[in-house]
Amino acid sequence: MTQIDPLHRVLVVEDEPAISESVSYALETEGMSVEVAYNAPEALSRVRRRPPSLVLLDVMLPGGSGLDVCREIRAFSDVPIIVLSARDAEADKVAGLELGADDYVTKPFSMRELIARVRSHIRRAARSGLMSETNEVLRGGPVEMDVDAHEVRVKGGVVPMRPKEFDLLETLMRRKDRLVTRETLLSEVWGSAYYGDTRTLDVHIRRLRHKIEQDYSNPQHLVTVRGLGYKFVDAP
Ligand code: CA
């Protein structure tokens, strides 16, 4: 069996926890890393922020059809998309393929078959060179972030980051010197379920400041924009 590169990330777009959890578990067992989006807007913002290796896309979603998500992703990305359609929804399969999906799997599906298809589409995309094999590195102030290796260096030394800290820092660094609102950060890093719980965001910002700022009580790079959000600035 060919090993799938553990850095391959699959975005599972599915609002039913029973399905998203079992699929996530199965893919992680195969050595892939998995993110879950529970609705259409969240799916789009995740693909925009950080294109995954493959999108598993359910058709029936709250806040919009998976088919619309498919069309919108195709407007800016060639990421492989597998549509999960309801049983006997022939129209969905046809529409999905016409909108640019690469494949579809009908619910209820066999996990073994789903995984086989995921692997085959990821391999195919890698072969056709759609996926960049070089590591992307973001730089700002004292921070160097190797996005694919999931490694952050501050002044050259590796600093361990929890997954949400990494995602938050990445989101801010990708928009260097620009305000990123609290709403955007919450929805892109935690998903829309966290709207309202803004303490989570502040706690993570505080942890990041401890890790990247010379003096965390007087931040020079992770700057508060009062009442609105945060921004990452290169140099004070
Ligand atoms: Ca669904």
Side-chain angles (χ1 to χ4, degrees):
M1 203 162 47
T2 324
Q3 275 299 307
I4 286 274
D5 186 327
L7 298 176
H8 284 318
R9 292 178 305 110
V10 176
L11 177 64
V12 176
V13 186
E14 167 64 272
D15 57 305
E16 288 158 64
I19 298 178
S20 57
E21 280 165 21
S22 59
V23 169
S24 301
Y25 178 78
L27 294 173
E28 280 167 356
T29 305
E30 292 290 306
M32 294 175 234
S33 87
V34 179
E35 285 180 34
V36 179
Y38 296 94
N39 57 50
E42 201 184 325
L44 280 169
S45 84
R46 280 180 187 268
V47 176
R48 282 214 176 85
R49 183 167 66 87
R50 196 163 163 224
S53 316
L54 182 138
V55 180
L56 257 181
L57 182 58
D58 184 38
V59 173
M60 301 288 286
L61 293 171
S65 160
L67 297 176
D68 292 331
V69 176
C70 183
R71 182 193 304 118
E72 289 187 52
I73 290 175
R74 274 296 168 261
F76 65 91
S77 170
D78 286 326
V79 60
I81 299 175
I82 300 179
V83 168
L84 296 175
S85 72
R87 178 168 28 189
D88 299 332
E90 201 64 36
D92 285 348
K93 293 178 200 165
V94 174
L97 295 175
E98 279 177 354
L99 291 172
D102 298 275
D103 204 352
Y104 60 84
V105 171
T106 306
K107 288 182 184 176
F109 48 81
S110 105
M111 201 59 84
R112 185 196 281 264
E113 184 195 343
L114 181 69
I115 284 168
R117 297 219 194 168
V118 167
R119 294 171 71 97
S120 116
H121 283 284
I122 287 180
R123 272 200 299 266
R124 191 179 305 170
R127 265 203 305 275
S128 64
L130 289 173
M131 289 153 57
S132 142
E133 295 296 331
T134 55
N135 285 10
E136 184 186 8
V137 178
L138 305 176
R139 291 187 176 83
V143 183
E144 261 188 6
M145 169 179 275
D146 185 329
V147 178
D148 300 301
H150 234 259
E151 189 175 274
V152 175
R153 289 179 293 274
V154 178
K155 292 180 177 165
V158 174
V159 174
M161 293 273 166
R162 300 185 196 184
K164 292 296 183 198
E165 291 168 5
F166 187 95
D167 290 352
L168 178 58
L169 185 58
E170 183 190 352
T171 305
L172 287 160
M173 288 185 78
R174 283 194 187 281
R175 296 173 173 88
K176 215 158 54 176
D177 296 320
R178 281 180 286 165
L179 160 70
V180 189
T181 63
R182 305 177 69 87
E183 291 73 24
T184 302
L185 290 170
L186 283 167
S187 91
E188 293 200 5
V189 177
W190 283 273
S192 49
Y194 278 80
Y195 274 148
D197 184 8
T198 61
R199 260 180 333 172
T200 308
L201 173 59
D202 298 325
V203 167
H204 281 75
I205 290 283
R206 211 156 43 233
R207 287 203 205 125
L208 280 176
R209 281 178 175 155
H210 276 276
K211 292 182 177 184
I212 72 169
E213 298 283 356
Q214 180 117 39
D215 172 8
Y216 70 88
S217 59
N218 179 27
Q220 303 295 301
H221 302 288
L222 248 179
V223 177
T224 304
V225 182
R226 202 156 293 286
L228 295 172
Y230 296 97
K231 71 178 167 183
F232 188 97
V233 295
D234 231 337

